[in-house]
Amino acid sequence: MKRLSRALITAVALGSVLLATGCSDEGEPVSFDGPAVKAPSAGGGARTGGGAAEAAAKTLMPTGPKASFTTQNTLDDGTRIGVTTLEGRKSGFTGKVWVWAPEQYFDEKYASSGFPVLIALPGGNGYPNNYWMGTDLRLQSSIAEWSKEGRSLPFIVVMPVLNPDAKNYYDGSDIPGQPKMGTWMTEDVPDFVKANFRTFTSRDGWAFMGSSSGAFVGLKSVLQRPDRFKAVIASGPDTVPDSPLWSGHEPERQANNPEKLAEALGARPDTRANAVYLAFQVGTKESGIARVKKFVRDYGKGPVKTRLQVIEDGEHNAKTYVQGMGDGSIEWISKHMQAPVPTS
């Protein structure tokens, strides 16, 4: 099924109410500055020094320049979803980005440590908003719960706009003559996160999560840049690029085709450096099961590691996919990614 039709289905299922939930502190400035890093004291002991040294070796401290965030929503635990406008230096595109950091990010024992990043992408147009920034879907609150239960890493969740307008699909790619949305997603957005948050230097700390058209973009981005991203949760995805804007640019379209990318990556040596982890999710009431199973069967080889979560009675919508994440997808990718390192 083409993504335009699926986007309409998603829009009906989700409704515009998911785009905002309204909170009393909406619009107020919010800071994501973590606790100050303290040098180990002379009598701090081996455990403190060792933990700090391990964290420092893997962590990239915020590089700046520092962005200004305002509050979009507030969770029950007091953590906030902030929003800012990012001017993409490499893509030339300017758009909104929403961000949430878990409670652990502000804990002093993780002051020297980076945190894993989950870039969450919506279905539908993904413009001018990213529906994961609402609290109705419970993405952030679920990650908070799962991380305390040991079923998920405490991810920083980053939610950029998916497209530059609401008219066309851009497949998260640099389509010739169009805004460079591939560069925006895989370079400008990560650079922005590194500028403002404690992250990890290696790809072990970087993953995507997306539904429908956002799942396609996350899947394609990981397969296209396995040097930068290690995992994706792809829910109800298309597996080939189908934007009409590719017309007349077939070589470039194929260079952004997940099937071609997975085939090429699967032929590489099955080493840790090459391995990517693709967690697919499909509901039993949606039409994409056969397509996803075929992708897993044909391309889940060598360093291309796959997992399929079939969600009983699940439909093509975000609520279904959060349920699937809790049923195993988030735990699976978490096991293959870098966790924050405490100093003691």
Side-chain angles (χ1 to χ4, degrees):
M1 184 183 296
K2 290 296 183 180
R3 194 164 324 122
L4 180 58
S5 298
R6 301 178 72 189
L8 292 174
I9 294 171
T10 301
V12 171
L14 290 171
S16 60
V17 295
L18 295 176
L19 295 179
T21 58
C23 58
S24 59
D25 49 11
E26 183 176 346
E28 291 183 358
V30 59
S31 172
F32 290 102
D33 291 341
V37 178
K38 299 178 181 179
S41 62
R47 288 179 60 198
T48 299
E54 181 185 359
K58 298 178 178 180
T59 295
L60 176 66
M61 287 295 179
T63 61
K66 186 177 178 181
S68 297
F69 295 91
T70 57
T71 301
Q72 179 70 60
N73 284 303
T74 301
L75 276 63
D76 290 342
D77 64 4
T79 57
R80 297 190 182 190
I81 297 170
V83 61
T84 191
T85 298
L86 169 63
E87 296 181 4
R89 294 184 177 182
K90 296 177 181 178
S91 68
F93 172 69
T94 297
K96 288 184 177 181
V97 182
W98 292 263
V99 184
W100 172 80
E103 282 186 317
Q104 294 93 326
Y105 187 84
F106 306 98
D107 189 327
E108 287 189 0
K109 72 180 179 182
Y110 294 111
S112 299
S113 179
F115 274 69
V117 176
L118 188 68
I119 301 174
L121 305 178
N125 291 315
Y127 180 89
N129 294 305
N130 180 324
Y131 58 59
W132 293 114
M133 60 79 165
T135 57
D136 299 47
L137 296 173
R138 301 193 74 251
L139 174 63
Q140 295 83 3
S141 58
S142 294
I143 290 175
E145 293 171 9
W146 297 332
S147 67
K148 292 175 182 177
E149 296 167 357
R151 296 194 290 141
S152 172
L153 295 181
F155 289 98
I156 297 169
V157 181
V158 181
M159 301 153 277
V161 293
L162 182 60
N163 281 301
D165 57 54
K167 181 179 179 181
N168 296 304
Y169 287 107
Y170 294 77
D171 282 332
S173 303
D174 290 357
I175 300 176
Q178 303 297 332
K180 296 182 177 180
M181 301 313 293
T183 300
W184 158 263
M185 199 65 67
T186 62
E187 297 191 42
D188 285 334
V189 171
D191 286 350
F192 155 80
V193 180
K194 293 173 184 177
N196 289 279
F197 295 87
R198 304 190 309 277
T199 56
F200 289 118
T201 55
S202 80
R203 71 190 192 109
D204 291 348
W206 294 84
F208 279 89
M209 182 280 289
S211 54
S212 194
S213 52
F216 168 87
V217 175
L219 174 65
K220 190 265 299 190
S221 298
V222 170
L223 291 169
Q224 197 170 48
R225 298 305 306 264
D227 57 321
R228 295 191 177 190
F229 309 102
K230 192 173 188 179
V232 61
I233 299 175
S235 304
D238 286 329
T239 58
V240 293
D242 62 2
S243 170
L245 298 174
W246 287 115
S247 179
H249 306 288
E250 187 59 20
E252 292 88 349
R253 188 178 82 88
Q254 292 302 331
N256 288 273
N257 185 342
E259 294 182 353
K260 299 293 185 182
L261 294 166
E263 183 178 28
L265 181 56
R268 295 186 192 178
D270 189 3
T271 62
R272 176 172 179 171
N274 288 332
V276 294
Y277 296 84
L278 316 179
F280 292 98
Q281 300 194 137
V282 184
T284 57
K285 291 184 177 180
E286 60 178 305
S287 61
I289 294 179
R291 178 178 60 251
V292 173
K293 285 184 175 179
K294 185 177 186 300
F295 188 99
V296 170
R297 182 183 68 247
D298 293 348
Y299 305 111
K301 302 174 183 179
V304 181
K305 315 297 183 182
T306 60
R307 180 185 187 274
L308 175 58
Q309 182 78 44
V310 177
I311 306 164
E312 193 65 32
D313 295 325
E315 300 178 345
H316 190 70
N317 61 51
K319 183 178 179 180
T320 286
Y321 301 141
V322 173
Q323 174 189 330
M325 291 172 67
D327 289 342
S329 297
I330 194 79
E331 185 171 6
W332 187 70
I333 70 162
S334 292
K335 288 180 179 178
H336 300 289
M337 298 184 67
Q338 176 62 54
V341 181
T343 55
S344 62

